[in-house]
Amino acid sequence: MPGKRTRGITPGRVNVYERLKQSMSKRKAARIANAGKTAAGRSRMAKRAARTRARRGR
């Protein structure tokens, strides 16, 4: 019988989900982890985050 398996998270993104969960809610972490299913999707998310940080002056 398999051990602790995270359901509802894209395979291969579980580690990301676990790290994000430390600094935010499970729901937010799951949305971010699942949004980056492909490399292109993750790249798009990173660019968006960079724009957000730049606007906030960080």
Side-chain angles (χ1 to χ4, degrees):
M1 203 169 153
K4 203 168 106 179
R5 207 168 106 216
T6 308
R7 291 179 53 179
I9 305 296
T10 304
R13 299 291 288 162
V14 176
N15 289 341
V16 175
Y17 168 71
E18 292 296 335
R19 288 299 296 268
L20 288 171
K21 208 167 60 168
Q22 293 172 357
S23 60
M24 58 185 69
S25 70
K26 287 193 284 189
R27 183 171 186 266
K28 278 186 185 177
R31 288 181 71 182
I32 292 171
N34 284 334
K37 287 185 182 186
T38 64
R42 288 193 293 278
S43 177
R44 195 160 53 242
M45 286 170 55
K47 287 176 186 171
R48 183 178 172 188
R51 278 198 307 271
T52 302
R53 287 194 302 273
R55 282 186 64 199
R56 292 177 181 166
R58 290 186 185 175

